[in-house]
Amino acid sequence: MDLSRIKYVYFLGIGGIGMSALARYFLAMKKKVSGYDKTSTPLTLAMISEGIPIHFEENLQWVKSQISSGGLNKSETLIVYTPAIPAEHSELIFFRKNGFSLKKRSEVLGIISSEFLTVAVAGTHGKTTTTAMIAHILKHSGVDCTAFVGGIMTNYQTNVFIGSNNKNVKGKISTKPVFVVEADEYDRSFLTLYPHIAVITSMDADHLDIYGGKKNLVASFNLFASQIKEGGTLIHKKNLPLKFNSEKGLARKKISYSLNENAGFSASKIQIKSGRFFFNAEWNSDSFQKDKKNPPHVRAIENFELSVPGRHNVENALAAIATTLRLGIPVNKIKRALKTFRGVKRRFEFIINKKNMVFIDDYAHHPEELRACISAVKELYPLKKITGVFQPHLFSRTRDFADDFARSLELLDEIILLDIYPARELPVKGVNSKMLLDK
């Protein structure tokens, strides 16, 4: 699809974090943009204030008036929808029956990214923060990049950067404009991307309603890794079940990172001072240049400072450091940028931070994310009582990982469980928060 010919873009499910970033991108590209969502939220209200009309009920007349008011035809109109929109949705049925061009969000991302040097960050957890770190380092270092992040970046109060592409990074791979995108494994969406640099943070079992089992999820991640462009790089947490190779003569590089393992990139001398994490980043010199005549030697960058807490975020920072070094960003700029990184909303976000009361909001909805979040709190506040308020997300995920959720939640001193948030799902008999509490 030639997006330059599109004049009007309509979004079904515009309030989603990924869909809203795409809507804002097309608005910046001077397209006429509007959309539907089921619920009004601060994000949809922000988009309305930015000039994007949004309605919150199925209304074919509203849609038709939006199209006709611009005098547009089908060839100039693109309908973007999320898989969360039910097949029986009246607007979706109307567009399909009347021959409009419909694309999933992931397909449109694939089209946009083909024009850029693309950095795609995937993983069942850790990808939003890592994507935001990479985007922030580039922005802070003066690289005019475009970025789509699966959360609101606290530094900028937005989930998208729109680059003018006038200034490009003088990288080691290409001088094309840089595009940083969070690559979502749900519904195999990330398979529309063919990045120059792919980052994989984790491959824990998740979305089993889509994949059926971990084996199929692992296969999709391996397929994603195989789509890296010639001359590109895979940056991955060590010991993931990846079968990466350079078949068909494609010259690709593979760099591992880990907090605790002997990897291409690792952290040392981790310390906590006044709620901030300090560490050294170490890497083998052959992470970037292979010299068969000489054994690899270890290089270190000392005194990284990170204000977002948790050892898991130190590990995310290692992935961001490796990525931006690969793009040619100077070490001193990376250090300065990470020091100013304030995180992503609802990822270990301090709502109250006083001596006698700390209230943290975190989006953790997978057992491993919960464990990382709670462990970070315990490390920061070893003498404090920790109460968790948890709302399980999806009946299927709660069912599939009930024992793992219970093990993570047991780390808390006290737990308050809310009813399961169903999102796109119908209730499953016997699956509820009381079941988790009993465990």
Side-chain angles (χ1 to χ4, degrees):
M1 170 175 280
D2 182 2
L3 293 179
S4 65
R5 298 180 61 185
I6 298 297
K7 295 181 179 178
Y8 175 53
V9 189
Y10 183 77
F11 287 83
L12 279 167
I14 195 170
I17 195 70
M19 293 282 276
S20 61
L22 204 53
R24 285 167 157 168
Y25 173 82
F26 279 119
L27 186 68
M29 295 299 106
K30 309 300 182 186
K31 312 291 185 186
K32 179 179 167 67
V33 178
S34 62
Y36 157 88
D37 209 282
K38 185 167 61 174
T39 309
S40 174
T41 65
L43 185 53
T44 58
L45 292 174
M47 285 191 286
I48 291 170
S49 71
E50 292 162 13
I52 301 176
I54 300 173
H55 69 124
F56 302 97
E57 69 289 323
E58 297 179 41
N59 188 334
L60 289 179
Q61 291 306 120
W62 190 92
V63 173
K64 291 174 182 177
S65 68
Q66 284 290 308
I67 296 172
S68 61
S69 64
L72 304 173
N73 55 46
K74 292 175 189 176
S75 65
E76 298 171 323
T77 302
L78 172 63
I79 312 302
V80 184
Y81 70 100
T82 169
I85 292 291
E88 62 274 14
H89 193 283
S90 61
E91 293 181 16
L92 184 62
I93 292 170
F94 167 79
F95 290 126
R96 281 183 168 151
K97 280 187 175 179
N98 288 278
F100 283 85
S101 179
L102 282 91
K103 297 280 185 189
K104 289 183 181 179
R105 167 185 167 269
S106 57
E107 293 176 286
V108 180
L109 276 180
I111 296 167
I112 294 171
S113 66
S114 64
E115 301 298 319
F116 294 85
L117 188 165
T118 299
V119 177
V121 184
T124 46
H125 47 83
K127 60 180 175 288
T128 299
T129 298
T130 305
T131 307
M133 282 180 175
I134 293 168
H136 174 70
I137 292 169
L138 293 175
K139 185 89 168 174
H140 193 273
S141 302
V143 177
D144 193 8
C145 68
T146 295
F148 288 0
V149 180
I152 303 297
M153 295 175 281
T154 305
N155 290 76
Y156 308 97
Q157 296 300 310
T158 185
N159 55 344
V160 61
F161 291 156
I162 309 297
S164 64
N165 305 325
N166 293 325
K167 296 182 294 180
N168 304 324
V169 62
K170 293 180 180 178
K172 298 181 179 181
I173 301 172
S174 169
T175 55
K176 291 178 73 175
V178 180
F179 180 51
V180 183
V181 60
E182 182 171 327
D184 190 1
E185 75 279 0
Y186 177 73
D187 198 34
R188 299 177 173 85
S189 294
F190 58 177
L191 297 183
T192 63
L193 300 169
Y194 292 81
H196 297 80
I197 298 177
V199 181
I200 300 180
T201 62
S202 52
M203 290 167 57
D204 293 307
D206 199 3
H207 305 301
L208 299 187
D209 55 325
I210 297 293
Y211 287 101
K214 185 174 180 179
K215 182 179 177 181
N216 294 327
L217 180 138
V218 168
S220 279
F221 271 97
N222 275 289
L223 184 53
F224 169 69
S226 75
Q227 295 180 175
I228 295 171
K229 300 268 191 184
E230 182 173 4
T233 306
L234 171 65
I235 296 170
H236 67 96
K237 184 174 177 179
K238 191 171 182 180
N239 291 332
L240 295 180
L242 286 165
K243 296 177 181 178
F244 180 81
N245 56 58
S246 292
E247 75 279 359
K248 300 178 184 177
L250 295 180
R252 302 191 191 116
K253 197 155 193 62
K254 180 180 178 182
I255 301 171
S256 66
Y257 69 91
S258 176
L259 194 65
N260 303 310
E261 303 277 350
N262 180 23
F265 268 76
S266 59
S268 64
K269 298 183 179 179
I270 302 172
Q271 299 178 60
I272 304 172
K273 300 175 185 176
S274 302
R276 301 174 78 88
F277 276 69
F278 294 81
F279 64 97
N280 295 348
E282 298 183 348
W283 75 92
N284 293 326
S285 61
D286 70 343
S287 295
F288 291 100
Q289 190 171 0
K290 206 108 180 174
D291 184 352
K292 294 182 179 179
K293 295 180 181 179
N294 299 303
H297 63 276
V298 174
R299 293 187 62 192
I301 312 173
E302 296 183 343
N303 297 322
F304 274 100
E305 184 178 339
L306 200 59
S307 62
V308 287
R311 291 174 182 265
H312 61 294
N313 279 323
V314 174
E315 197 162 59
N316 291 335
L318 289 174
I321 294 164
T323 301
T324 49
L325 280 174
R326 185 73 178 135
L327 285 168
I329 305 300
V331 167
N332 61 332
K333 289 189 175 183
I334 297 173
K335 287 181 72 172
R336 285 200 296 266
L338 277 179
K339 184 177 180 178
T340 64
F341 178 69
R342 292 169 53 202
V344 180
K345 282 193 171 298
R346 302 209 61 211
R347 268 70 172 183
F348 215 97
E349 180 185 6
F350 284 91
I351 307 300
I352 300 172
N353 192 3
K354 298 180 179 179
K355 190 173 182 179
N356 65 337
M357 167 64 70
V358 177
F359 177 35
I360 297 163
D361 184 16
D362 199 286
Y363 183 62
H365 57 278
H366 185 279
E368 286 304 312
E369 292 172 337
L370 276 174
R371 181 174 295 277
C373 174
I374 297 167
S375 297
V377 177
K378 289 170 79 76
E379 190 169 19
L380 283 174
Y381 306 101
L383 303 178
K384 298 290 186 182
K385 176 186 175 183
I386 302 169
T387 298
V389 183
F390 179 59
Q391 181 175 37
H393 186 275
L394 298 180
F395 290 100
S396 60
R397 184 183 283 122
T398 307
R399 176 197 64 207
D400 294 338
F401 302 111
D403 290 343
D404 294 326
F405 275 122
R407 290 188 190 100
S408 294
L409 294 170
E410 278 175 351
L411 296 172
L412 295 161
D413 297 308
E414 186 173 65
I415 177 70
I416 298 167
L417 285 167
L418 305 182
D419 288 332
I420 295 171
Y421 178 68
R424 56 188 176 269
E425 292 185 338
L426 295 173
V428 176
K429 187 177 180 181
V431 178
N432 50 50
S433 290
K434 178 65 164 58
M435 175 192 73
L436 278 186
L437 183 64
D438 293 340
K439 287 180 177 291

